[in-house]
Amino acid sequence: MKYPKVVLTADRTLMSPYRGISLASFFGCAPALDLNRKQTSLLYRILGNQVTPRLLFDFICNPIGHTNGIANYAPYGLRKVEAALIRDGYSREDVVVAHPDYIEQFIGPETQAVGTYEMDPLGMGPVTMTFTYGRRQMSYDEYYCRDLHHRINKAKARNGSKAKVIAGASGTWQYNYDPAKIEEYGLYGIVEGDLGGIGPEIDGASAGGKFFDALIDGEMDTANPFKKSKFKIDIKEFSRNGREYHGRFIHYWDEPSVEDIPDIVKPSMHGMSEVMRGCGRGCKFCDVTLRPLRYYPVEKVQKEIEINMKYGGLKNAWIHSDDIFVYGLNPRTTKNMQPNREALEELFKGIMATGIEHTNPTHGTLAGAIADERLIPNVSKIIRASPDNHIGIQCGFETGSTRLIGKYADRKLAPFKPVEWHWVVKTGVKTLNEHYWVPAFTLIMGLDNDETPEDSWETIRLIHELEVEQPESKFTVTPLTFVPIGLLEKSEFFDIGSTMDPAKLGVMYKTWQHNFRYGIQKFMHKVGRNNPIKNLFFAALARTLGGVPLTSMERFARQKGPEHEKVIEKIKANYWY
Ligand code: SF4
């Protein structure tokens, strides 16, 4: 048997349909192992060092299907790299997107490169850092990424392969903070963008095949500053715990035009298809905004959806967008970021014309959603939003503090002003819910380590006011710890384990209290109301997922002392409706 020249893959947490529950894809951030658990404790006797039982995790994170070990669906970014290689002359036999459980059967003597797609390889992403108390526990993201690399290395040793293992995608910045993993995983190289944590766009016409050619031909073996190459090699040296480590970081920066970005040729995970790259809102804590803004024309979006329908049998399209409401506008010339309603209507009409049954954009801003009062009603009609067809969208709540939002993300609010932020949040939730959209909010704890207790209380109050004033509202709020990327890349991580003051614990407690009762129990019950099995499943899931963080935060408060406990009591007494 001849082995493929290039094997592309990703770990199990990125290769799962999560049983079709879109919010469950966050579950990869859940803690897997507590390596410091006392062996004499009762918990250790029951679970060993498992935190979220593996049985539960593996049930929710079900593996994606495969055909003879080739993944039937793959992360969108990996599909783009595959498409770029095919476009640039690699034959179909040369390139395989392997299912992580069958990786061994594709790595052999002829294999020259193994590319791994990594979004949160070491569990340092904002959601994961929150769930693992700042990486004091090991997340499933990290657990399965480690497992994948160990298996790749074993397969190489067993099959006599000298393949270069190269890690790419938006999470590779994490290796800078734990370089021992570069050695442990035997990484030949790490692909890194030039701006903050953002991954380079290697699917453009000037990279793709050329990137892999250069990798395979040994052009990246040495860092030669005098050699002209579009791929800059930086051999970084690190000292950690009395040991020296080094890593080959491959920098590349390009802003391919939309015509130079290939269409996927095989189905993407969750029916994902992008409609734009970049976002012109300029939030300081975000790296996406460092990319120039480009939009896909409707026909290009349709082509990718058709690939997903034809080869993947998919009936839904997740529309990847950074802020869908800036689609079709020019942030430099459009007054106050006023949405381009006509462009959005055309886009969604084109998406529905493919024959799919459901679509939702991945991200959007509240300000954009309400800046034009006909926008959400019109788009909702086009995409047939209804009580049986809710439209999920992730929106940045970021903070309830008008001071912080003004300082770090004022254009996120355009055309509104920071002082209007509370009104924007409340009106945004009302408008979206009225048209069957459900926002999944994220907020940032310890934003640039600049959040005061008063800022935190403003956040708690705003969530509570929403609950009181709009008791039937549907939304979830996930707190994320601050990670220094984007324009704040020189700042420090927010260390949730040791710098969480009482008010910040309060923010976390309030969000989970909300998610448990409102977001999970109420909404999930409604989602499953026509299907008793689904209903039972969601109710059990809600109890398991929702109750655990609240109890553990109460325990954490008791350990921390009276000030932390007082905050929990105050929220229970005054901020619960
Ligand atoms: S609106 Fe969202 S994607 Fe755009 S810059 Fe702000 S955080 Fe980034």
Side-chain angles (χ1 to χ4, degrees):
M1 170 189 165
K2 191 169 177 288
Y3 290 90
K5 201 166 165 183
V6 177
V7 177
L8 303 172
T9 192
D11 73 64
R12 177 189 179 128
T13 63
L14 296 169
M15 287 269 209
S16 166
Y18 289 92
R19 302 204 172 268
I21 310 163
S22 54
L23 272 181
S25 52
F26 275 115
F27 207 40
C29 310
L33 303 178
D34 180 355
L35 299 171
N36 301 313
R37 185 175 286 159
K38 283 200 186 102
Q39 297 196 358
T40 48
S41 69
L42 179 65
L43 209 55
Y44 189 88
R45 270 181 240 139
I46 301 169
L47 282 175
N49 53 23
Q50 292 182 66
V51 183
T52 309
R54 180 139 166 231
L55 215 61
L56 174 69
F57 181 83
D58 285 355
F59 173 74
I60 294 173
C61 177
N62 56 322
I64 200 73
H66 69 97
T67 306
N68 301 323
I70 296 175
N72 291 346
Y73 305 86
Y76 186 73
L78 206 56
R79 287 294 189 213
K80 286 291 204 190
V81 176
E82 173 192 36
L85 287 170
I86 304 291
R87 174 199 61 199
D88 295 340
Y90 280 65
S91 73
R92 193 57 274 190
E93 293 69 40
D94 278 344
V95 183
V96 159
V97 176
H99 189 290
D101 292 350
Y102 299 88
I103 188 74
E104 291 84 358
Q105 72 189 54
F106 297 104
I107 300 177
E110 297 92 349
T111 310
Q112 305 200 33
V114 178
T116 54
Y117 180 84
E118 306 193 358
M119 285 179 69
D120 190 18
L122 305 180
M124 293 179 175
V127 185
T128 320
M129 288 291 266
T130 311
F131 288 160
T132 59
Y133 299 100
R135 217 171 160 233
R136 281 169 180 77
Q137 297 169 340
M138 182 188 283
S139 66
Y140 274 104
D141 286 343
E142 183 174 359
Y143 177 85
Y144 275 114
C145 181
R146 182 183 68 165
D147 179 65
L148 178 66
H149 280 293
H150 287 175
R151 288 183 34 220
I152 290 171
N153 288 333
K154 264 196 208 142
K156 277 177 62 180
R158 198 181 60 208
N159 299 349
S161 167
K162 300 254 177 310
K164 292 170 178 169
V165 182
I166 183 138
S170 59
T172 56
W173 57 271
Q174 299 181 3
Y175 287 102
N176 288 286
Y177 294 92
D178 191 352
K181 295 286 174 188
I182 303 171
E183 187 178 289
E184 179 185 331
Y185 296 173
L187 296 180
Y188 166 84
I190 294 149
V191 189
E192 211 177 40
D194 275 355
L195 304 169
I198 202 161
E201 298 178 54
I202 65 163
D203 55 357
S206 54
K210 293 188 191 80
F211 179 89
F212 278 87
D213 291 346
L215 175 73
I216 291 167
D217 295 345
E219 274 180 43
M220 297 180 181
D221 288 352
T222 49
N224 182 350
F226 303 107
K227 194 169 160 200
K228 225 175 148 214
S229 169
K230 55 168 70 82
F231 309 113
K232 204 175 102 223
I233 309 302
D234 183 9
I235 307 290
K236 292 189 194 174
E237 287 175 2
F238 305 89
S239 286
R240 294 285 189 285
N241 306 322
R243 273 214 51 195
E244 301 296 315
Y245 298 96
H246 70 270
R248 180 184 287 100
F249 286 73
I250 303 157
H251 295 266
Y252 170 69
W253 189 253
D254 188 27
E255 300 159 2
S257 65
V258 168
E259 303 75 58
D260 285 341
I261 299 172
D263 299 334
I264 58 170
V265 292
K266 289 279 180 179
S268 60
M269 199 67 70
H270 314 296
M272 185 80 81
S273 175
E274 69 185 345
V275 297
M276 57 199 286
R277 286 189 183 178
C279 168
R281 293 212 180 246
C283 304
K284 294 192 174 71
F285 45 78
C286 170
D287 55 6
V288 168
T289 200
L290 302 174
R291 288 192 200 283
L293 188 53
R294 287 148 292 166
Y295 316 109
Y296 278 27
V298 177
E299 304 70 44
K300 189 171 174 73
V301 180
Q302 287 177 319
K303 269 192 213 151
E304 293 205 327
I305 294 175
E306 281 156 9
I307 291 283
N308 280 330
M309 292 171 75
K310 187 171 169 192
Y311 299 110
L314 293 168
K315 297 193 173 110
N316 65 299
W318 260 24
I319 298 305
H320 182 72
S321 54
D322 292 309
D323 175 8
I324 189 67
F325 304 116
V326 303
Y327 180 86
L329 67 78
N330 182 340
R332 288 205 185 89
T333 54
T334 307
K335 201 167 167 230
N336 284 332
M337 305 286 286
Q338 191 62 23
N340 184 341
R341 176 161 37 87
E342 288 74 27
L344 282 159
E345 288 173 3
E346 282 314 305
L347 171 69
F348 283 105
K349 274 183 198 158
I351 289 170
M352 294 309 285
T354 59
I356 49 131
E357 292 171 5
H358 173 87
T359 187
N360 64 290
T362 55
H363 297 80
T365 50
L366 288 171
I370 59 171
D372 173 342
E373 58 183 28
R374 283 161 65 197
L375 178 63
I376 291 295
N378 289 8
V379 171
S380 305
K381 233 179 253 158
I382 295 167
I383 62 179
R384 300 196 285 270
S386 74
D388 298 317
N389 184 25
H390 278 95
I391 311 300
I393 184 166
Q394 194 180 316
C395 304
F397 183 117
E398 318 305 3
T399 172
S401 160
T402 48
R403 177 186 80 85
L404 288 177
I405 202 87
K407 185 170 173 187
Y408 293 98
D410 58 338
R411 274 167 65 79
K412 190 180 195 100
L413 276 64
F416 306 101
K417 305 237 164 356
V419 286
E420 297 173 287
W421 182 225
H422 293 194
W423 176 85
V424 170
V425 173
K426 291 175 188 177
T427 311
V429 170
K430 190 160 177 284
T431 306
L432 290 170
N433 281 180
E434 270 171 10
H435 296 91
Y436 311 109
W437 293 54
V438 180
F441 288 128
T442 48
L443 61 80
I444 306 176
M445 294 204 340
L447 179 47
D448 201 21
N449 295 295
D450 186 20
E451 181 180 341
T452 64
E454 186 38 44
D455 293 322
S456 305
W457 280 108
E458 231 183 310
T459 302
I460 295 167
R461 279 195 292 271
L462 179 54
I463 299 171
H464 179 59
E465 281 169 20
L466 268 168
E467 291 171 340
V468 175
E469 293 166 18
Q470 301 179 42
E472 290 303 315
S473 60
K474 298 185 190 79
F475 65 93
T476 58
V477 198
T478 306
L480 314 176
T481 57
F482 171 71
V483 165
I485 52 175
L487 293 175
L488 301 177
E489 68 162 331
K490 299 270 181 299
S491 300
E492 294 292 318
F493 277 88
F494 170 70
D495 184 349
I496 189 173
S498 49
T499 32
M500 185 143 74
D501 62 41
K504 289 194 193 75
L505 177 68
V507 171
M508 210 162 148
Y509 191 78
K510 179 69 223 163
T511 56
W512 273 106
Q513 201 187 41
H514 173 84
N515 293 342
F516 184 36
R517 297 260 182 90
Y518 279 89
I520 300 180
Q521 278 190 336
K522 243 173 145 176
F523 173 59
M524 292 276 195
H525 268 294
K526 281 190 180 172
V527 168
R529 71 189 187 286
N530 295 329
N531 180 333
I533 296 176
K534 215 170 165 188
N535 195 344
L536 263 180
F537 173 73
F538 279 124
L541 188 67
R543 268 192 297 277
T544 315
L545 298 185
V548 173
L550 285 178
T551 324
S552 74
M553 275 182 263
E554 286 164 16
R555 198 172 43 236
F556 178 79
R558 280 197 296 278
Q559 285 163 2
K560 279 282 184 183
E563 290 305 312
H564 286 76
E565 273 192 289
K566 241 189 263 166
V567 165
I568 301 275
E569 290 314 317
K570 187 170 163 183
I571 290 172
K572 281 183 175 170
N574 304 336
Y575 293 97
W576 184 236
Y577 174 67

